[in-house]
C-alpha cells in the first residue's frame, strides 16, 4: 500500500517529468514546499519500492510501475474534478482542493462507477487528459495561444497550469473550453493579444494569460 504522502510525491514527480522525463530533488522540494533532505529520504524509500530511479546527485525518474501508480492517482483527481463540475454543479475553479482529498481513496470500484456515471470522459474540466484505467495518458497536439499569429482562428481546448486565480479570470472574461477565438492583433511590445469571441468584438489578453491557453487551430 502506498501512503497519501507517497502518492503526493509520485504525482508531483509525474507532473514535473511528463515533458522532459526527469526532475531534480530541488524541483520536487520547490513543488511540494518540503526541505531537500526530506525529499531525498522519500526518494530513497520510493526507490526501494521500485517506483523511482534514484541515485545521489542525479536526476530523478519514475520507473514504469511508478509512472502507472502516479497516472492512476491523477486519473482519480481528474475524474473527481469532472464529477464535481458535471454532476454537482461546482465551478471549474472550485474543484481542485476537494479532488486533492478524494484522490487518496483506495477504492477502484468507486472511481469506476464515477467514470461510468460521467460517460467515460477523456478530459477534466480544464481540458487536461484523464488517464485510462491502465494509467495510459492520451496526448493531444494542441498549441499555446501565444504561439499563434494574427488572423488565426482557434478553439480553446485546455488551460495549463489551471490555477484558481486564472480560472476565475477566464470566467470573468466569459472564456471557457470550446470557445472559438479570432486573433485580431499582437502587440510587439509585450506580446499581448487582441482577440474576438462570442459577443466580444475585442478583448486583450496578456502574454501571462496566453501562455497558459492551449488551443486547436481551425483549418
Amino acid at each position: 500500500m502506498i501512503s497519501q504522502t507517497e502518492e503526493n510525491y509520485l504525482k508531483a514527480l509525474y507532473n514535473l517529468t511528463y515533458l522532459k522525463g526527469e526532475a531534480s530533488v530541488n524541483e520536487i522540494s520547490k513543488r511540494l514546499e518540503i526541505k531537500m533532505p526530506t525529499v531525498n529520504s522519500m526518494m530513497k524509500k520510493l526507490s526501494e519500492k521500485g517506483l523511482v530511479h534514484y541515485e545521489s546527485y542525479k536526476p530523478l525518474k519514475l520507473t514504469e510501475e511508478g509512472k502507472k501508480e502516479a497516472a492512476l492517482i491523477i486519473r482519480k483527481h481528474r475524474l473527481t474534478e469532472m464529477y464535481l463540475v458535471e454532476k454537482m454543479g461546482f465551478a471549474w475553479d472550485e474543484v481542485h482542493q476537494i479532488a486533492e482529498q478524494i484522490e487518496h481513496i483506495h477504492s477502484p470500484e468507486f472511481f469506476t462507477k464515477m467514470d461510468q456515471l460521467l460517460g467515460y470522459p477523456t478530459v477534466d474540466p480544464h481540458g487536461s487528459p484523464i488517464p485510462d484505467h491502465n494509467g495510459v495518458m492520451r496526448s493531444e497536439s494542441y498549441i499555446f495561444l501565444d504561439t499563434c499569429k494574427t488572423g488565426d482562428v482557434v478553439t480553446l481546448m485546455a488551460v495549463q497550469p489551471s490555477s484558481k486565480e486564472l480560472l476565475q479570470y477566464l470566467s470573468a472574461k466569459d472564456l471557457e473550453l470550446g470557445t472559438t477565438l479570432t486573433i485580431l492583433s499582437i502587440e510587439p511590445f509585450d506580446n499581448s493579444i487582441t482577440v474576438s469571441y462570442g459577443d466580444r468584438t475585442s478583448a486583450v489578453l496578456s502574454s501571462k494569460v496566453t501562455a497558459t491557453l492551449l488551443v486547436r487551430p481551425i483549418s
Side-chain angles (χ1 to χ4, degrees), residues 20-59:
K20 60 180 181 176
E22 59 186 36
S24 67
V25 170
N26 186 45
E27 287 175 313
I28 296 289
S29 175
K30 289 180 179 178
R31 172 66 69 96
L32 295 176
E33 298 181 344
I34 295 173
K35 293 181 179 180
M36 287 180 61
T38 304
V39 175
N40 268 311
S41 177
M42 176 57 77
M43 290 302 107
K44 291 178 183 177
K45 185 176 180 181
L46 292 174
S47 177
E48 291 169 359
K49 290 189 173 185
L51 300 172
V52 173
H53 292 296
Y54 172 81
E55 292 183 59
S56 297
Y57 308 110
K58 290 188 177 182

mmCIF file of all heavy atoms in Angstrom, residues 20-59:
data_model
loop_
_atom_site.group_PDB
_atom_site.id
_atom_site.type_symbol
_atom_site.label_atom_id
_atom_site.label_comp_id
_atom_site.label_asym_id
_atom_site.label_seq_id
_atom_site.Cartn_x
_atom_site.Cartn_y
_atom_site.Cartn_z
ATOM 1 N N LYS A 20 9.873 16.259 -19.917
ATOM 2 C CA LYS A 20 11.311 16.045 -20.117
ATOM 3 C C LYS A 20 11.840 14.727 -19.555
ATOM 4 O O LYS A 20 13.008 14.392 -19.757
ATOM 5 C CB LYS A 20 12.108 17.211 -19.534
ATOM 6 C CG LYS A 20 11.904 17.428 -18.040
ATOM 7 C CD LYS A 20 12.733 18.607 -17.549
ATOM 8 C CE LYS A 20 12.559 18.812 -16.053
ATOM 9 N NZ LYS A 20 13.420 19.898 -15.542
ATOM 10 N N GLY A 21 10.985 13.972 -18.852
ATOM 11 C CA GLY A 21 11.377 12.640 -18.420
ATOM 12 C C GLY A 21 12.129 12.541 -17.110
ATOM 13 O O GLY A 21 12.297 11.450 -16.578
ATOM 14 N N GLU A 22 12.605 13.675 -16.579
ATOM 15 C CA GLU A 22 13.345 13.628 -15.327
ATOM 16 C C GLU A 22 13.160 14.937 -14.570
ATOM 17 O O GLU A 22 12.698 15.938 -15.121
ATOM 18 C CB GLU A 22 14.833 13.380 -15.593
ATOM 19 C CG GLU A 22 15.483 14.427 -16.472
ATOM 20 C CD GLU A 22 16.924 14.089 -16.830
ATOM 21 O OE1 GLU A 22 17.219 12.894 -17.019
ATOM 22 O OE2 GLU A 22 17.741 15.027 -16.916
ATOM 23 N N ALA A 23 13.509 14.919 -13.292
ATOM 24 C CA ALA A 23 13.404 16.116 -12.456
ATOM 25 C C ALA A 23 14.455 16.043 -11.359
ATOM 26 O O ALA A 23 14.987 14.965 -11.058
ATOM 27 C CB ALA A 23 12.009 16.224 -11.844
ATOM 28 N N SER A 24 14.750 17.161 -10.762
ATOM 29 C CA SER A 24 15.752 17.209 -9.689
ATOM 30 C C SER A 24 15.068 17.189 -8.331
ATOM 31 O O SER A 24 13.875 17.488 -8.207
ATOM 32 C CB SER A 24 16.596 18.474 -9.810
ATOM 33 O OG SER A 24 15.809 19.625 -9.550
ATOM 34 N N VAL A 25 15.840 16.846 -7.317
ATOM 35 C CA VAL A 25 15.340 16.888 -5.944
ATOM 36 C C VAL A 25 14.911 18.310 -5.604
ATOM 37 O O VAL A 25 13.901 18.533 -4.927
ATOM 38 C CB VAL A 25 16.417 16.388 -4.959
ATOM 39 C CG1 VAL A 25 16.005 16.655 -3.512
ATOM 40 C CG2 VAL A 25 16.676 14.899 -5.155
ATOM 41 N N ASN A 26 15.663 19.273 -6.094
ATOM 42 C CA ASN A 26 15.349 20.676 -5.833
ATOM 43 C C ASN A 26 13.987 21.063 -6.410
ATOM 44 O O ASN A 26 13.212 21.792 -5.775
ATOM 45 C CB ASN A 26 16.436 21.576 -6.428
ATOM 46 C CG ASN A 26 16.235 23.037 -6.072
ATOM 47 O OD1 ASN A 26 15.954 23.380 -4.924
ATOM 48 N ND2 ASN A 26 16.371 23.912 -7.051
ATOM 49 N N GLU A 27 13.675 20.564 -7.601
ATOM 50 C CA GLU A 27 12.376 20.862 -8.219
ATOM 51 C C GLU A 27 11.232 20.266 -7.409
ATOM 52 O O GLU A 27 10.183 20.899 -7.230
ATOM 53 C CB GLU A 27 12.346 20.331 -9.655
ATOM 54 C CG GLU A 27 13.188 21.134 -10.630
ATOM 55 C CD GLU A 27 13.229 20.512 -12.006
ATOM 56 O OE1 GLU A 27 13.449 19.282 -12.104
ATOM 57 O OE2 GLU A 27 13.038 21.250 -12.998
ATOM 58 N N ILE A 28 11.424 19.041 -6.930
ATOM 59 C CA ILE A 28 10.404 18.406 -6.082
ATOM 60 C C ILE A 28 10.240 19.199 -4.797
ATOM 61 O O ILE A 28 9.117 19.429 -4.322
ATOM 62 C CB ILE A 28 10.795 16.952 -5.749
ATOM 63 C CG1 ILE A 28 10.825 16.102 -7.018
ATOM 64 C CG2 ILE A 28 9.828 16.348 -4.733
ATOM 65 C CD1 ILE A 28 9.482 15.817 -7.601
ATOM 66 N N SER A 29 11.368 19.619 -4.229
ATOM 67 C CA SER A 29 11.358 20.393 -2.986
ATOM 68 C C SER A 29 10.541 21.671 -3.151
ATOM 69 O O SER A 29 9.716 22.017 -2.300
ATOM 70 C CB SER A 29 12.797 20.729 -2.574
ATOM 71 O OG SER A 29 12.824 21.577 -1.444
ATOM 72 N N LYS A 30 10.759 22.373 -4.266
ATOM 73 C CA LYS A 30 10.031 23.623 -4.508
ATOM 74 C C LYS A 30 8.559 23.357 -4.784
ATOM 75 O O LYS A 30 7.683 24.088 -4.315
ATOM 76 C CB LYS A 30 10.660 24.365 -5.689
ATOM 77 C CG LYS A 30 12.022 24.966 -5.384
ATOM 78 C CD LYS A 30 12.590 25.680 -6.601
ATOM 79 C CE LYS A 30 13.943 26.310 -6.288
ATOM 80 N NZ LYS A 30 14.526 26.981 -7.488
ATOM 81 N N ARG A 31 8.269 22.314 -5.561
ATOM 82 C CA ARG A 31 6.882 21.997 -5.924
ATOM 83 C C ARG A 31 6.050 21.676 -4.675
ATOM 84 O O ARG A 31 4.906 22.122 -4.553
ATOM 85 C CB ARG A 31 6.857 20.822 -6.903
ATOM 86 C CG ARG A 31 5.472 20.251 -7.235
ATOM 87 C CD ARG A 31 4.588 21.220 -7.982
ATOM 88 N NE ARG A 31 5.044 21.479 -9.330
ATOM 89 C CZ ARG A 31 4.589 20.855 -10.404
ATOM 90 N NH1 ARG A 31 3.644 19.927 -10.289
ATOM 91 N NH2 ARG A 31 5.028 21.162 -11.605
ATOM 92 N N LEU A 32 6.617 20.893 -3.778
ATOM 93 C CA LEU A 32 5.873 20.452 -2.594
ATOM 94 C C LEU A 32 6.135 21.312 -1.360
ATOM 95 O O LEU A 32 5.514 21.099 -0.318
ATOM 96 C CB LEU A 32 6.215 18.992 -2.280
ATOM 97 C CG LEU A 32 5.788 17.971 -3.335
ATOM 98 C CD1 LEU A 32 6.267 16.576 -2.945
ATOM 99 C CD2 LEU A 32 4.280 17.972 -3.520
ATOM 100 N N GLU A 33 7.074 22.273 -1.495
ATOM 101 C CA GLU A 33 7.460 23.133 -0.371
ATOM 102 C C GLU A 33 7.922 22.295 0.818
ATOM 103 O O GLU A 33 7.473 22.475 1.949
ATOM 104 C CB GLU A 33 6.302 24.061 0.010
ATOM 105 C CG GLU A 33 5.887 25.005 -1.110
ATOM 106 C CD GLU A 33 4.758 25.949 -0.719
ATOM 107 O OE1 GLU A 33 4.092 25.675 0.305
ATOM 108 O OE2 GLU A 33 4.558 26.939 -1.423
ATOM 109 N N ILE A 34 8.817 21.372 0.511
ATOM 110 C CA ILE A 34 9.387 20.468 1.517
ATOM 111 C C ILE A 34 10.908 20.550 1.417
ATOM 112 O O ILE A 34 11.457 20.657 0.318
ATOM 113 C CB ILE A 34 8.912 19.023 1.278
ATOM 114 C CG1 ILE A 34 7.402 18.930 1.480
ATOM 115 C CG2 ILE A 34 9.625 18.044 2.210
ATOM 116 C CD1 ILE A 34 6.802 17.587 1.097
ATOM 117 N N LYS A 35 11.603 20.482 2.546
ATOM 118 C CA LYS A 35 13.063 20.614 2.555
ATOM 119 C C LYS A 35 13.726 19.467 1.796
ATOM 120 O O LYS A 35 13.245 18.329 1.807
ATOM 121 C CB LYS A 35 13.574 20.667 3.992
ATOM 122 C CG LYS A 35 13.146 21.939 4.729
ATOM 123 C CD LYS A 35 13.682 21.962 6.145
ATOM 124 C CE LYS A 35 13.267 23.246 6.866
ATOM 125 N NZ LYS A 35 13.772 23.282 8.253
ATOM 126 N N MET A 36 14.838 19.779 1.157
ATOM 127 C CA MET A 36 15.513 18.813 0.292
ATOM 128 C C MET A 36 15.935 17.525 1.002
ATOM 129 O O MET A 36 15.804 16.440 0.431
ATOM 130 C CB MET A 36 16.704 19.470 -0.407
ATOM 131 C CG MET A 36 16.277 20.436 -1.506
ATOM 132 S SD MET A 36 17.644 21.238 -2.366
ATOM 133 C CE MET A 36 18.487 19.833 -3.076
ATOM 134 N N PRO A 37 16.460 17.579 2.232
ATOM 135 C CA PRO A 37 16.815 16.321 2.910
ATOM 136 C C PRO A 37 15.610 15.383 3.070
ATOM 137 O O PRO A 37 15.745 14.163 2.958
ATOM 138 C CB PRO A 37 17.347 16.783 4.267
ATOM 139 C CG PRO A 37 17.864 18.158 4.004
ATOM 140 C CD PRO A 37 16.900 18.754 3.023
ATOM 141 N N THR A 38 14.443 15.974 3.314
ATOM 142 C CA THR A 38 13.219 15.176 3.451
ATOM 143 C C THR A 38 12.841 14.553 2.117
ATOM 144 O O THR A 38 12.417 13.385 2.049
ATOM 145 C CB THR A 38 12.062 16.048 3.969
ATOM 146 O OG1 THR A 38 12.442 16.662 5.200
ATOM 147 C CG2 THR A 38 10.809 15.221 4.187
ATOM 148 N N VAL A 39 13.004 15.321 1.039
ATOM 149 C CA VAL A 39 12.711 14.805 -0.296
ATOM 150 C C VAL A 39 13.659 13.659 -0.637
ATOM 151 O O VAL A 39 13.242 12.610 -1.141
ATOM 152 C CB VAL A 39 12.832 15.914 -1.358
ATOM 153 C CG1 VAL A 39 12.638 15.328 -2.763
ATOM 154 C CG2 VAL A 39 11.804 17.006 -1.104
ATOM 155 N N ASN A 40 14.941 13.840 -0.346
ATOM 156 C CA ASN A 40 15.926 12.780 -0.603
ATOM 157 C C ASN A 40 15.555 11.490 0.119
ATOM 158 O O ASN A 40 15.643 10.394 -0.440
ATOM 159 C CB ASN A 40 17.322 13.230 -0.160
ATOM 160 C CG ASN A 40 18.104 13.893 -1.275
ATOM 161 O OD1 ASN A 40 18.194 13.367 -2.369
ATOM 162 N ND2 ASN A 40 18.668 15.047 -0.990
ATOM 163 N N SER A 41 15.149 11.633 1.369
ATOM 164 C CA SER A 41 14.760 10.473 2.164
ATOM 165 C C SER A 41 13.571 9.751 1.542
ATOM 166 O O SER A 41 13.550 8.512 1.453
ATOM 167 C CB SER A 41 14.423 10.921 3.589
ATOM 168 O OG SER A 41 13.984 9.837 4.377
ATOM 169 N N MET A 42 12.585 10.512 1.074
ATOM 170 C CA MET A 42 11.408 9.900 0.463
ATOM 171 C C MET A 42 11.756 9.246 -0.873
ATOM 172 O O MET A 42 11.239 8.177 -1.205
ATOM 173 C CB MET A 42 10.324 10.953 0.258
ATOM 174 C CG MET A 42 9.080 10.439 -0.452
ATOM 175 S SD MET A 42 8.280 9.025 0.387
ATOM 176 C CE MET A 42 7.445 9.868 1.736
ATOM 177 N N MET A 43 12.655 9.869 -1.646
ATOM 178 C CA MET A 43 13.046 9.281 -2.925
ATOM 179 C C MET A 43 13.739 7.931 -2.723
ATOM 180 O O MET A 43 13.542 6.998 -3.504
ATOM 181 C CB MET A 43 13.955 10.242 -3.697
ATOM 182 C CG MET A 43 13.267 11.491 -4.221
ATOM 183 S SD MET A 43 11.863 11.151 -5.332
ATOM 184 C CE MET A 43 10.468 11.562 -4.264
ATOM 185 N N LYS A 44 14.538 7.842 -1.690
ATOM 186 C CA LYS A 44 15.185 6.558 -1.368
ATOM 187 C C LYS A 44 14.131 5.508 -1.032
ATOM 188 O O LYS A 44 14.221 4.346 -1.460
ATOM 189 C CB LYS A 44 16.144 6.735 -0.181
ATOM 190 C CG LYS A 44 17.381 7.565 -0.494
ATOM 191 C CD LYS A 44 18.237 7.730 0.753
ATOM 192 C CE LYS A 44 19.436 8.626 0.486
ATOM 193 N NZ LYS A 44 20.244 8.843 1.717
ATOM 194 N N LYS A 45 13.132 5.914 -0.266
ATOM 195 C CA LYS A 45 12.061 5.000 0.134
ATOM 196 C C LYS A 45 11.276 4.530 -1.089
ATOM 197 O O LYS A 45 10.979 3.332 -1.229
ATOM 198 C CB LYS A 45 11.130 5.708 1.123
ATOM 199 C CG LYS A 45 10.033 4.833 1.701
ATOM 200 C CD LYS A 45 9.231 5.600 2.733
ATOM 201 C CE LYS A 45 8.129 4.733 3.335
ATOM 202 N NZ LYS A 45 7.323 5.493 4.335
ATOM 203 N N LEU A 46 10.945 5.473 -1.994
ATOM 204 C CA LEU A 46 10.200 5.112 -3.202
ATOM 205 C C LEU A 46 11.051 4.272 -4.147
ATOM 206 O O LEU A 46 10.538 3.429 -4.874
ATOM 207 C CB LEU A 46 9.716 6.376 -3.911
ATOM 208 C CG LEU A 46 8.631 7.175 -3.159
ATOM 209 C CD1 LEU A 46 8.341 8.475 -3.880
ATOM 210 C CD2 LEU A 46 7.357 6.354 -3.001
ATOM 211 N N SER A 47 12.360 4.499 -4.104
ATOM 212 C CA SER A 47 13.274 3.681 -4.909
ATOM 213 C C SER A 47 13.268 2.240 -4.424
ATOM 214 O O SER A 47 13.264 1.292 -5.216
ATOM 215 C CB SER A 47 14.687 4.266 -4.838
ATOM 216 O OG SER A 47 15.603 3.455 -5.539
ATOM 217 N N GLU A 48 13.259 2.062 -3.105
ATOM 218 C CA GLU A 48 13.229 0.718 -2.519
ATOM 219 C C GLU A 48 11.936 -0.012 -2.870
ATOM 220 O O GLU A 48 11.908 -1.248 -2.939
ATOM 221 C CB GLU A 48 13.378 0.821 -1.000
ATOM 222 C CG GLU A 48 14.778 1.278 -0.570
ATOM 223 C CD GLU A 48 14.846 1.629 0.905
ATOM 224 O OE1 GLU A 48 13.788 1.536 1.590
ATOM 225 O OE2 GLU A 48 15.935 1.992 1.388
ATOM 226 N N LYS A 49 10.874 0.746 -3.127
ATOM 227 C CA LYS A 49 9.592 0.149 -3.516
ATOM 228 C C LYS A 49 9.500 -0.067 -5.025
ATOM 229 O O LYS A 49 8.472 -0.526 -5.524
ATOM 230 C CB LYS A 49 8.431 1.041 -3.049
ATOM 231 C CG LYS A 49 8.243 1.064 -1.538
ATOM 232 C CD LYS A 49 6.951 1.781 -1.162
ATOM 233 C CE LYS A 49 6.680 1.654 0.333
ATOM 234 N NZ LYS A 49 5.368 2.241 0.718
ATOM 235 N N GLY A 50 10.561 0.299 -5.740
ATOM 236 C CA GLY A 50 10.577 0.091 -7.183
ATOM 237 C C GLY A 50 9.774 1.103 -7.979
ATOM 238 O O GLY A 50 9.389 0.839 -9.119
ATOM 239 N N LEU A 51 9.555 2.285 -7.395
ATOM 240 C CA LEU A 51 8.720 3.290 -8.043
ATOM 241 C C LEU A 51 9.522 4.446 -8.647
ATOM 242 O O LEU A 51 9.022 5.159 -9.512
ATOM 243 C CB LEU A 51 7.703 3.847 -7.043
ATOM 244 C CG LEU A 51 6.742 2.808 -6.444
ATOM 245 C CD1 LEU A 51 5.916 3.432 -5.333
ATOM 246 C CD2 LEU A 51 5.840 2.230 -7.528
ATOM 247 N N VAL A 52 10.750 4.637 -8.170
ATOM 248 C CA VAL A 52 11.584 5.754 -8.618
ATOM 249 C C VAL A 52 13.010 5.274 -8.864
ATOM 250 O O VAL A 52 13.539 4.461 -8.096
ATOM 251 C CB VAL A 52 11.600 6.895 -7.564
ATOM 252 C CG1 VAL A 52 12.597 7.986 -7.959
ATOM 253 C CG2 VAL A 52 10.212 7.492 -7.400
ATOM 254 N N HIS A 53 13.619 5.766 -9.942
ATOM 255 C CA HIS A 53 15.050 5.559 -10.173
ATOM 256 C C HIS A 53 15.779 6.658 -9.412
ATOM 257 O O HIS A 53 15.666 7.844 -9.759
ATOM 258 C CB HIS A 53 15.391 5.650 -11.665
ATOM 259 C CG HIS A 53 14.833 4.530 -12.485
ATOM 260 N ND1 HIS A 53 15.215 3.218 -12.305
ATOM 261 C CD2 HIS A 53 13.921 4.535 -13.500
ATOM 262 C CE1 HIS A 53 14.567 2.457 -13.181
ATOM 263 N NE2 HIS A 53 13.768 3.227 -13.899
ATOM 264 N N TYR A 54 16.511 6.284 -8.370
ATOM 265 C CA TYR A 54 17.171 7.293 -7.532
ATOM 266 C C TYR A 54 18.652 6.979 -7.355
ATOM 267 O O TYR A 54 19.021 5.872 -6.968
ATOM 268 C CB TYR A 54 16.508 7.350 -6.150
ATOM 269 C CG TYR A 54 17.246 8.227 -5.161
ATOM 270 C CD1 TYR A 54 17.066 9.612 -5.176
ATOM 271 C CD2 TYR A 54 18.129 7.677 -4.231
ATOM 272 C CE1 TYR A 54 17.744 10.424 -4.283
ATOM 273 C CE2 TYR A 54 18.809 8.474 -3.334
ATOM 274 C CZ TYR A 54 18.620 9.855 -3.365
ATOM 275 O OH TYR A 54 19.309 10.655 -2.486
ATOM 276 N N GLU A 55 19.486 7.963 -7.665
ATOM 277 C CA GLU A 55 20.906 7.922 -7.375
ATOM 278 C C GLU A 55 21.316 9.302 -6.892
ATOM 279 O O GLU A 55 20.855 10.312 -7.437
ATOM 280 C CB GLU A 55 21.732 7.563 -8.619
ATOM 281 C CG GLU A 55 21.536 6.144 -9.123
ATOM 282 C CD GLU A 55 22.435 5.840 -10.323
ATOM 283 O OE1 GLU A 55 23.668 5.947 -10.171
ATOM 284 O OE2 GLU A 55 21.897 5.533 -11.397
ATOM 285 N N SER A 56 22.178 9.355 -5.876
ATOM 286 C CA SER A 56 22.593 10.641 -5.319
ATOM 287 C C SER A 56 23.153 11.562 -6.397
ATOM 288 O O SER A 56 23.949 11.134 -7.239
ATOM 289 C CB SER A 56 23.648 10.434 -4.232
ATOM 290 O OG SER A 56 23.111 9.693 -3.165
ATOM 291 N N TYR A 57 22.700 12.806 -6.366
ATOM 292 C CA TYR A 57 23.184 13.880 -7.256
ATOM 293 C C TYR A 57 22.833 13.656 -8.731
ATOM 294 O O TYR A 57 23.395 14.296 -9.605
ATOM 295 C CB TYR A 57 24.699 14.075 -7.101
ATOM 296 C CG TYR A 57 25.133 14.251 -5.677
ATOM 297 C CD1 TYR A 57 25.862 13.252 -5.023
ATOM 298 C CD2 TYR A 57 24.792 15.400 -4.960
ATOM 299 C CE1 TYR A 57 26.249 13.405 -3.690
ATOM 300 C CE2 TYR A 57 25.174 15.557 -3.626
ATOM 301 C CZ TYR A 57 25.895 14.564 -3.002
ATOM 302 O OH TYR A 57 26.266 14.709 -1.687
ATOM 303 N N LYS A 58 21.894 12.750 -9.000
ATOM 304 C CA LYS A 58 21.464 12.529 -10.380
ATOM 305 C C LYS A 58 19.968 12.814 -10.504
ATOM 306 O O LYS A 58 19.232 12.736 -9.507
ATOM 307 C CB LYS A 58 21.777 11.100 -10.825
ATOM 308 C CG LYS A 58 23.265 10.825 -10.999
ATOM 309 C CD LYS A 58 23.492 9.469 -11.632
ATOM 310 C CE LYS A 58 24.977 9.230 -11.881
ATOM 311 N NZ LYS A 58 25.227 7.923 -12.537
ATOM 312 N N PRO A 59 19.493 13.155 -11.702
ATOM 313 C CA PRO A 59 18.054 13.444 -11.887
ATOM 314 C C PRO A 59 17.182 12.257 -11.496
ATOM 315 O O PRO A 59 17.597 11.094 -11.602
ATOM 316 C CB PRO A 59 17.942 13.737 -13.384
ATOM 317 C CG PRO A 59 19.309 14.165 -13.797
ATOM 318 C CD PRO A 59 20.248 13.350 -12.952
#
